[in-house]
PDB file of all heavy atoms in Angstrom:
ATOM      1  N   ASP R   1     118.384 216.885 164.499  1.00  0.00           N
ATOM      2  CA  ASP R   1     117.715 217.726 165.490  1.00  0.00           C
ATOM      3  C   ASP R   1     117.935 219.208 165.206  1.00  0.00           C
ATOM      4  O   ASP R   1     117.049 220.044 165.404  1.00  0.00           O
ATOM      5  CB  ASP R   1     118.237 217.410 166.898  1.00  0.00           C
ATOM      6  CG  ASP R   1     117.876 216.010 167.358  1.00  0.00           C
ATOM      7  OD1 ASP R   1     116.729 215.589 167.130  1.00  0.00           O
ATOM      8  OD2 ASP R   1     118.746 215.335 167.944  1.00  0.00           O
ATOM      9  N   LEU R   2     119.133 219.542 164.737  1.00  0.00           N
ATOM     10  CA  LEU R   2     119.469 220.941 164.477  1.00  0.00           C
ATOM     11  C   LEU R   2     118.926 221.448 163.146  1.00  0.00           C
ATOM     12  O   LEU R   2     118.815 222.668 162.947  1.00  0.00           O
ATOM     13  CB  LEU R   2     120.991 221.127 164.498  1.00  0.00           C
ATOM     14  CG  LEU R   2     121.653 221.227 165.868  1.00  0.00           C
ATOM     15  CD1 LEU R   2     123.156 221.152 165.742  1.00  0.00           C
ATOM     16  CD2 LEU R   2     121.241 222.526 166.574  1.00  0.00           C
ATOM     17  N   LEU R   3     118.617 220.529 162.234  1.00  0.00           N
ATOM     18  CA  LEU R   3     118.246 220.947 160.880  1.00  0.00           C
ATOM     19  C   LEU R   3     117.111 221.972 160.851  1.00  0.00           C
ATOM     20  O   LEU R   3     117.212 222.970 160.113  1.00  0.00           O
ATOM     21  CB  LEU R   3     117.899 219.725 160.031  1.00  0.00           C
ATOM     22  CG  LEU R   3     117.572 220.006 158.560  1.00  0.00           C
ATOM     23  CD1 LEU R   3     118.722 220.732 157.866  1.00  0.00           C
ATOM     24  CD2 LEU R   3     117.241 218.700 157.827  1.00  0.00           C
ATOM     25  N   PRO R   4     116.009 221.804 161.604  1.00  0.00           N
ATOM     26  CA  PRO R   4     114.957 222.839 161.548  1.00  0.00           C
ATOM     27  C   PRO R   4     115.462 224.209 161.971  1.00  0.00           C
ATOM     28  O   PRO R   4     114.965 225.235 161.479  1.00  0.00           O
ATOM     29  CB  PRO R   4     113.904 222.313 162.524  1.00  0.00           C
ATOM     30  CG  PRO R   4     114.164 220.866 162.652  1.00  0.00           C
ATOM     31  CD  PRO R   4     115.641 220.689 162.489  1.00  0.00           C
ATOM     32  N   TYR R   5     116.452 224.245 162.860  1.00  0.00           N
ATOM     33  CA  TYR R   5     116.972 225.528 163.348  1.00  0.00           C
ATOM     34  C   TYR R   5     118.003 226.112 162.389  1.00  0.00           C
ATOM     35  O   TYR R   5     118.075 227.334 162.230  1.00  0.00           O
ATOM     36  CB  TYR R   5     117.544 225.329 164.756  1.00  0.00           C
ATOM     37  CG  TYR R   5     116.485 224.795 165.693  1.00  0.00           C
ATOM     38  CD1 TYR R   5     116.454 223.453 166.057  1.00  0.00           C
ATOM     39  CD2 TYR R   5     115.468 225.623 166.160  1.00  0.00           C
ATOM     40  CE1 TYR R   5     115.464 222.952 166.888  1.00  0.00           C
ATOM     41  CE2 TYR R   5     114.474 225.138 166.993  1.00  0.00           C
ATOM     42  CZ  TYR R   5     114.473 223.811 167.351  1.00  0.00           C
ATOM     43  OH  TYR R   5     113.486 223.316 168.168  1.00  0.00           O
ATOM     44  N   PHE R   6     118.799 225.258 161.763  1.00  0.00           N
ATOM     45  CA  PHE R   6     119.626 225.744 160.660  1.00  0.00           C
ATOM     46  C   PHE R   6     118.738 226.416 159.612  1.00  0.00           C
ATOM     47  O   PHE R   6     119.036 227.530 159.149  1.00  0.00           O
ATOM     48  CB  PHE R   6     120.375 224.579 159.996  1.00  0.00           C
ATOM     49  CG  PHE R   6     121.609 224.111 160.697  1.00  0.00           C
ATOM     50  CD1 PHE R   6     121.755 222.775 161.057  1.00  0.00           C
ATOM     51  CD2 PHE R   6     122.641 224.988 160.974  1.00  0.00           C
ATOM     52  CE1 PHE R   6     122.903 222.332 161.681  1.00  0.00           C
ATOM     53  CE2 PHE R   6     123.799 224.559 161.598  1.00  0.00           C
ATOM     54  CZ  PHE R   6     123.926 223.225 161.956  1.00  0.00           C
ATOM     55  N   LYS R   7     117.666 225.752 159.241  1.00  0.00           N
ATOM     56  CA  LYS R   7     116.788 226.281 158.204  1.00  0.00           C
ATOM     57  C   LYS R   7     116.090 227.552 158.655  1.00  0.00           C
ATOM     58  O   LYS R   7     115.924 228.498 157.870  1.00  0.00           O
ATOM     59  CB  LYS R   7     115.767 225.215 157.804  1.00  0.00           C
ATOM     60  CG  LYS R   7     116.375 223.995 157.120  1.00  0.00           C
ATOM     61  CD  LYS R   7     115.362 222.895 156.869  1.00  0.00           C
ATOM     62  CE  LYS R   7     114.339 223.311 155.827  1.00  0.00           C
ATOM     63  NZ  LYS R   7     113.430 222.179 155.492  1.00  0.00           N
ATOM     64  N   ARG R   8     115.684 227.596 159.923  1.00  0.00           N
ATOM     65  CA  ARG R   8     114.955 228.764 160.409  1.00  0.00           C
ATOM     66  C   ARG R   8     115.801 230.029 160.375  1.00  0.00           C
ATOM     67  O   ARG R   8     115.282 231.140 160.220  1.00  0.00           O
ATOM     68  CB  ARG R   8     114.478 228.508 161.847  1.00  0.00           C
ATOM     69  CG  ARG R   8     113.623 229.630 162.414  1.00  0.00           C
ATOM     70  CD  ARG R   8     113.329 229.439 163.883  1.00  0.00           C
ATOM     71  NE  ARG R   8     112.502 228.271 164.128  1.00  0.00           N
ATOM     72  CZ  ARG R   8     112.121 227.880 165.350  1.00  0.00           C
ATOM     73  NH1 ARG R   8     112.547 228.541 166.420  1.00  0.00           N
ATOM     74  NH2 ARG R   8     111.360 226.817 165.487  1.00  0.00           N
ATOM     75  N   SER R   9     117.118 229.866 160.502  1.00  0.00           N
ATOM     76  CA  SER R   9     117.983 231.042 160.607  1.00  0.00           C
ATOM     77  C   SER R   9     118.293 231.693 159.274  1.00  0.00           C
ATOM     78  O   SER R   9     118.763 232.819 159.234  1.00  0.00           O
ATOM     79  CB  SER R   9     119.305 230.657 161.288  1.00  0.00           C
ATOM     80  OG  SER R   9     120.090 229.834 160.439  1.00  0.00           O
ATOM     81  N   GLU R  10     118.039 231.015 158.145  1.00  0.00           N
ATOM     82  CA  GLU R  10     118.624 231.463 156.881  1.00  0.00           C
ATOM     83  C   GLU R  10     117.597 231.580 155.760  1.00  0.00           C
ATOM     84  O   GLU R  10     116.541 230.942 155.763  1.00  0.00           O
ATOM     85  CB  GLU R  10     119.708 230.470 156.432  1.00  0.00           C
ATOM     86  CG  GLU R  10     119.143 229.100 156.071  1.00  0.00           C
ATOM     87  CD  GLU R  10     120.213 228.101 155.633  1.00  0.00           C
ATOM     88  OE1 GLU R  10     121.422 228.390 155.754  1.00  0.00           O
ATOM     89  OE2 GLU R  10     119.833 227.017 155.157  1.00  0.00           O
ATOM     90  N   THR R  11     117.957 232.415 154.795  1.00  0.00           N
ATOM     91  CA  THR R  11     117.335 232.386 153.475  1.00  0.00           C
ATOM     92  C   THR R  11     118.430 232.029 152.486  1.00  0.00           C
ATOM     93  O   THR R  11     119.353 232.809 152.250  1.00  0.00           O
ATOM     94  CB  THR R  11     116.709 233.742 153.113  1.00  0.00           C
ATOM     95  OG1 THR R  11     115.599 233.983 153.979  1.00  0.00           O
ATOM     96  CG2 THR R  11     116.223 233.757 151.678  1.00  0.00           C
ATOM     97  N   ALA R  12     118.358 230.813 151.976  1.00  0.00           N
ATOM     98  CA  ALA R  12     119.369 230.300 151.038  1.00  0.00           C
ATOM     99  C   ALA R  12     118.631 229.822 149.800  1.00  0.00           C
ATOM    100  O   ALA R  12     118.279 228.651 149.680  1.00  0.00           O
ATOM    101  CB  ALA R  12     120.160 229.169 151.679  1.00  0.00           C
ATOM    102  N   LEU R  13     118.382 230.737 148.887  1.00  0.00           N
ATOM    103  CA  LEU R  13     117.627 230.407 147.686  1.00  0.00           C
ATOM    104  C   LEU R  13     118.493 229.610 146.714  1.00  0.00           C
ATOM    105  O   LEU R  13     119.725 229.599 146.803  1.00  0.00           O
ATOM    106  CB  LEU R  13     117.108 231.687 147.046  1.00  0.00           C
ATOM    107  CG  LEU R  13     116.222 232.565 147.961  1.00  0.00           C
ATOM    108  CD1 LEU R  13     115.791 233.822 147.239  1.00  0.00           C
ATOM    109  CD2 LEU R  13     115.018 231.779 148.474  1.00  0.00           C
ATOM    110  N   ASP R  14     117.855 228.941 145.788  1.00  0.00           N
ATOM    111  CA  ASP R  14     118.539 228.115 144.792  1.00  0.00           C
ATOM    112  C   ASP R  14     119.341 226.987 145.424  1.00  0.00           C
ATOM    113  O   ASP R  14     120.347 226.525 144.872  1.00  0.00           O
ATOM    114  CB  ASP R  14     119.450 228.980 143.904  1.00  0.00           C
ATOM    115  CG  ASP R  14     118.663 230.049 143.157  1.00  0.00           C
ATOM    116  OD1 ASP R  14     117.547 229.745 142.721  1.00  0.00           O
ATOM    117  OD2 ASP R  14     119.180 231.174 143.038  1.00  0.00           O
ATOM    118  N   ARG R  15     118.916 226.550 146.598  1.00  0.00           N
ATOM    119  CA  ARG R  15     119.484 225.386 147.259  1.00  0.00           C
ATOM    120  C   ARG R  15     118.359 224.373 147.485  1.00  0.00           C
ATOM    121  O   ARG R  15     117.180 224.682 147.269  1.00  0.00           O
ATOM    122  CB  ARG R  15     120.119 225.765 148.598  1.00  0.00           C
ATOM    123  CG  ARG R  15     121.285 226.748 148.497  1.00  0.00           C
ATOM    124  CD  ARG R  15     122.498 226.134 147.827  1.00  0.00           C
ATOM    125  NE  ARG R  15     123.714 226.898 148.091  1.00  0.00           N
ATOM    126  CZ  ARG R  15     124.898 226.600 147.600  1.00  0.00           C
ATOM    127  NH1 ARG R  15     125.038 225.561 146.795  1.00  0.00           N
ATOM    128  NH2 ARG R  15     125.960 227.315 147.891  1.00  0.00           N
ATOM    129  N   ASP R  16     118.696 223.216 147.951  1.00  0.00           N
ATOM    130  CA  ASP R  16     117.708 222.176 148.207  1.00  0.00           C
ATOM    131  C   ASP R  16     116.850 222.583 149.400  1.00  0.00           C
ATOM    132  O   ASP R  16     117.355 222.648 150.533  1.00  0.00           O
ATOM    133  CB  ASP R  16     118.422 220.849 148.489  1.00  0.00           C
ATOM    134  CG  ASP R  16     117.462 219.697 148.750  1.00  0.00           C
ATOM    135  OD1 ASP R  16     116.246 219.932 148.797  1.00  0.00           O
ATOM    136  OD2 ASP R  16     117.953 218.569 148.915  1.00  0.00           O
ATOM    137  N   PRO R  17     115.565 222.868 149.222  1.00  0.00           N
ATOM    138  CA  PRO R  17     114.732 223.334 150.340  1.00  0.00           C
ATOM    139  C   PRO R  17     114.518 222.275 151.415  1.00  0.00           C
ATOM    140  O   PRO R  17     114.091 222.613 152.523  1.00  0.00           O
ATOM    141  CB  PRO R  17     113.416 223.729 149.667  1.00  0.00           C
ATOM    142  CG  PRO R  17     113.386 222.947 148.390  1.00  0.00           C
ATOM    143  CD  PRO R  17     114.805 222.815 147.949  1.00  0.00           C
ATOM    144  N   ALA R  18     114.815 221.018 151.115  1.00  0.00           N
ATOM    145  CA  ALA R  18     114.737 220.001 152.161  1.00  0.00           C
ATOM    146  C   ALA R  18     115.856 220.171 153.186  1.00  0.00           C
ATOM    147  O   ALA R  18     115.722 219.758 154.338  1.00  0.00           O
ATOM    148  CB  ALA R  18     114.804 218.605 151.551  1.00  0.00           C
ATOM    149  N   LEU R  19     116.950 220.808 152.746  1.00  0.00           N
ATOM    150  CA  LEU R  19     118.093 221.013 153.616  1.00  0.00           C
ATOM    151  C   LEU R  19     118.287 222.458 154.020  1.00  0.00           C
ATOM    152  O   LEU R  19     118.876 222.727 155.075  1.00  0.00           O
ATOM    153  CB  LEU R  19     119.381 220.546 152.914  1.00  0.00           C
ATOM    154  CG  LEU R  19     119.644 219.049 152.825  1.00  0.00           C
ATOM    155  CD1 LEU R  19     120.898 218.797 152.007  1.00  0.00           C
ATOM    156  CD2 LEU R  19     119.796 218.452 154.222  1.00  0.00           C
ATOM    157  N   ARG R  20     117.833 223.389 153.210  1.00  0.00           N
ATOM    158  CA  ARG R  20     118.180 224.788 153.416  1.00  0.00           C
ATOM    159  C   ARG R  20     116.927 225.633 153.639  1.00  0.00           C
ATOM    160  O   ARG R  20     115.847 225.339 153.129  1.00  0.00           O
ATOM    161  CB  ARG R  20     118.959 225.318 152.197  1.00  0.00           C
ATOM    162  CG  ARG R  20     120.188 224.507 151.837  1.00  0.00           C
ATOM    163  CD  ARG R  20     121.193 224.402 152.995  1.00  0.00           C
ATOM    164  NE  ARG R  20     121.620 225.693 153.445  1.00  0.00           N
ATOM    165  CZ  ARG R  20     122.624 226.407 152.915  1.00  0.00           C
ATOM    166  NH1 ARG R  20     123.308 225.879 151.896  1.00  0.00           N
ATOM    167  NH2 ARG R  20     122.953 227.578 153.380  1.00  0.00           N
ATOM    168  N   GLY R  21     117.104 226.702 154.417  1.00  0.00           N
ATOM    169  CA  GLY R  21     115.987 227.578 154.737  1.00  0.00           C
ATOM    170  C   GLY R  21     115.663 228.531 153.610  1.00  0.00           C
ATOM    171  O   GLY R  21     116.522 228.897 152.795  1.00  0.00           O
ATOM    172  N   THR R  22     114.410 228.979 153.574  1.00  0.00           N
ATOM    173  CA  THR R  22     113.965 229.884 152.507  1.00  0.00           C
ATOM    174  C   THR R  22     113.340 231.165 153.046  1.00  0.00           C
ATOM    175  O   THR R  22     112.950 232.016 152.256  1.00  0.00           O
ATOM    176  CB  THR R  22     112.934 229.174 151.608  1.00  0.00           C
ATOM    177  OG1 THR R  22     111.821 228.742 152.406  1.00  0.00           O
ATOM    178  CG2 THR R  22     113.548 227.967 150.920  1.00  0.00           C
ATOM    179  N   ASN R  23     113.256 231.309 154.381  1.00  0.00           N
ATOM    180  CA  ASN R  23     112.567 232.488 154.913  1.00  0.00           C
ATOM    181  C   ASN R  23     113.174 232.966 156.223  1.00  0.00           C
ATOM    182  O   ASN R  23     112.482 233.541 157.052  1.00  0.00           O
ATOM    183  CB  ASN R  23     111.076 232.161 155.114  1.00  0.00           C
ATOM    184  CG  ASN R  23     110.227 233.408 155.279  1.00  0.00           C
ATOM    185  OD1 ASN R  23     110.503 234.435 154.668  1.00  0.00           O
ATOM    186  ND2 ASN R  23     109.211 233.322 156.127  1.00  0.00           N
ATOM    187  N   GLY R  24     114.466 232.762 156.406  1.00  0.00           N
ATOM    188  CA  GLY R  24     115.111 233.176 157.647  1.00  0.00           C
ATOM    189  C   GLY R  24     115.724 234.557 157.548  1.00  0.00           C
ATOM    190  O   GLY R  24     115.835 235.138 156.459  1.00  0.00           O
ATOM    191  N   PRO R  25     116.153 235.116 158.670  1.00  0.00           N
ATOM    192  CA  PRO R  25     116.684 236.484 158.673  1.00  0.00           C
ATOM    193  C   PRO R  25     118.074 236.631 158.064  1.00  0.00           C
ATOM    194  O   PRO R  25     118.435 237.720 157.628  1.00  0.00           O
ATOM    195  CB  PRO R  25     116.703 236.855 160.155  1.00  0.00           C
ATOM    196  CG  PRO R  25     116.734 235.565 160.876  1.00  0.00           C
ATOM    197  CD  PRO R  25     115.994 234.577 160.025  1.00  0.00           C
ATOM    198  N   MET R  26     118.883 235.559 158.040  1.00  0.00           N
ATOM    199  CA  MET R  26     120.232 235.668 157.506  1.00  0.00           C
ATOM    200  C   MET R  26     120.207 235.302 156.027  1.00  0.00           C
ATOM    201  O   MET R  26     119.827 234.194 155.640  1.00  0.00           O
ATOM    202  CB  MET R  26     121.199 234.756 158.268  1.00  0.00           C
ATOM    203  CG  MET R  26     121.139 234.929 159.789  1.00  0.00           C
ATOM    204  SD  MET R  26     121.181 236.664 160.340  1.00  0.00           S
ATOM    205  CE  MET R  26     122.846 237.121 159.905  1.00  0.00           C
ATOM    206  N   ILE R  27     120.609 236.239 155.184  1.00  0.00           N
ATOM    207  CA  ILE R  27     120.540 236.086 153.726  1.00  0.00           C
ATOM    208  C   ILE R  27     121.890 235.557 153.243  1.00  0.00           C
ATOM    209  O   ILE R  27     122.910 236.240 153.369  1.00  0.00           O
ATOM    210  CB  ILE R  27     120.211 237.420 153.033  1.00  0.00           C
ATOM    211  CG1 ILE R  27     119.031 238.111 153.736  1.00  0.00           C
ATOM    212  CG2 ILE R  27     119.945 237.212 151.559  1.00  0.00           C
ATOM    213  CD1 ILE R  27     117.758 237.293 153.773  1.00  0.00           C
ATOM    214  N   VAL R  28     121.913 234.337 152.702  1.00  0.00           N
ATOM    215  CA  VAL R  28     123.183 233.715 152.337  1.00  0.00           C
ATOM    216  C   VAL R  28     123.122 233.204 150.906  1.00  0.00           C
ATOM    217  O   VAL R  28     122.089 232.737 150.433  1.00  0.00           O
ATOM    218  CB  VAL R  28     123.540 232.574 153.312  1.00  0.00           C
ATOM    219  CG1 VAL R  28     123.659 233.104 154.727  1.00  0.00           C
ATOM    220  CG2 VAL R  28     122.534 231.448 153.265  1.00  0.00           C
ATOM    221  N   ALA R  29     124.255 233.310 150.229  1.00  0.00           N
ATOM    222  CA  ALA R  29     124.361 232.860 148.842  1.00  0.00           C
ATOM    223  C   ALA R  29     125.834 232.783 148.472  1.00  0.00           C
ATOM    224  O   ALA R  29     126.663 233.477 149.069  1.00  0.00           O
ATOM    225  CB  ALA R  29     123.636 233.820 147.896  1.00  0.00           C
ATOM    226  N   PRO R  30     126.195 231.959 147.494  1.00  0.00           N
ATOM    227  CA  PRO R  30     127.585 231.923 147.054  1.00  0.00           C
ATOM    228  C   PRO R  30     127.957 233.179 146.276  1.00  0.00           C
ATOM    229  O   PRO R  30     127.086 233.920 145.805  1.00  0.00           O
ATOM    230  CB  PRO R  30     127.641 230.677 146.163  1.00  0.00           C
ATOM    231  CG  PRO R  30     126.242 230.465 145.711  1.00  0.00           C
ATOM    232  CD  PRO R  30     125.358 230.967 146.804  1.00  0.00           C
ATOM    233  N   ALA R  31     129.263 233.423 146.187  1.00  0.00           N
ATOM    234  CA  ALA R  31     129.750 234.572 145.436  1.00  0.00           C
ATOM    235  C   ALA R  31     129.349 234.448 143.969  1.00  0.00           C
ATOM    236  O   ALA R  31     129.403 233.373 143.392  1.00  0.00           O
ATOM    237  CB  ALA R  31     131.271 234.668 145.550  1.00  0.00           C
ATOM    238  N   ALA R  32     128.945 235.564 143.392  1.00  0.00           N
ATOM    239  CA  ALA R  32     128.545 235.557 141.984  1.00  0.00           C
ATOM    240  C   ALA R  32     129.097 236.814 141.312  1.00  0.00           C
ATOM    241  O   ALA R  32     128.622 237.908 141.577  1.00  0.00           O
ATOM    242  CB  ALA R  32     127.017 235.510 141.863  1.00  0.00           C
ATOM    243  N   PRO R  33     130.063 236.685 140.420  1.00  0.00           N
ATOM    244  CA  PRO R  33     130.781 235.445 140.087  1.00  0.00           C
ATOM    245  C   PRO R  33     131.928 235.214 141.056  1.00  0.00           C
ATOM    246  O   PRO R  33     132.421 236.154 141.680  1.00  0.00           O
ATOM    247  CB  PRO R  33     131.311 235.741 138.686  1.00  0.00           C
ATOM    248  CG  PRO R  33     131.566 237.225 138.718  1.00  0.00           C
ATOM    249  CD  PRO R  33     130.474 237.820 139.573  1.00  0.00           C
ATOM    250  N   PRO R  34     132.409 233.970 141.209  1.00  0.00           N
ATOM    251  CA  PRO R  34     133.573 233.718 142.050  1.00  0.00           C
ATOM    252  C   PRO R  34     134.842 234.244 141.394  1.00  0.00           C
ATOM    253  O   PRO R  34     134.896 234.452 140.180  1.00  0.00           O
ATOM    254  CB  PRO R  34     133.594 232.189 142.175  1.00  0.00           C
ATOM    255  CG  PRO R  34     132.885 231.706 140.953  1.00  0.00           C
ATOM    256  CD  PRO R  34     131.846 232.751 140.634  1.00  0.00           C
ATOM    257  N   ASN R  35     135.851 234.462 142.214  1.00  0.00           N
ATOM    258  CA  ASN R  35     137.133 234.954 141.707  1.00  0.00           C
ATOM    259  C   ASN R  35     137.758 233.920 140.770  1.00  0.00           C
ATOM    260  O   ASN R  35     137.746 232.716 141.038  1.00  0.00           O
ATOM    261  CB  ASN R  35     138.064 235.238 142.887  1.00  0.00           C
ATOM    262  CG  ASN R  35     139.279 236.049 142.482  1.00  0.00           C
ATOM    263  OD1 ASN R  35     140.111 235.599 141.721  1.00  0.00           O
ATOM    264  ND2 ASN R  35     139.374 237.256 143.020  1.00  0.00           N
TER     265      ASN R  35
END
């Protein structure tokens, strides 16, 4: 039930678009490069 709203909130590129948002206001990504 929450999945559409998780997706709506975020832009998480290079992730599975079935699970992650691609056009939301919160821009999220892993550290590049990690420590």
Side-chain angles (χ1 to χ4, degrees):
D1 294 317
L2 280 170
L3 184 57
Y5 302 103
F6 280 125
K7 294 174 68 174
R8 184 188 294 179
S9 70
E10 66 180 9
T11 293
L13 303 179
D14 300 322
R15 298 292 198 182
D16 181 356
L19 284 176
R20 305 302 302 274
T22 58
N23 196 35
M26 309 313 291
I27 313 301
V28 300
N35 193 295

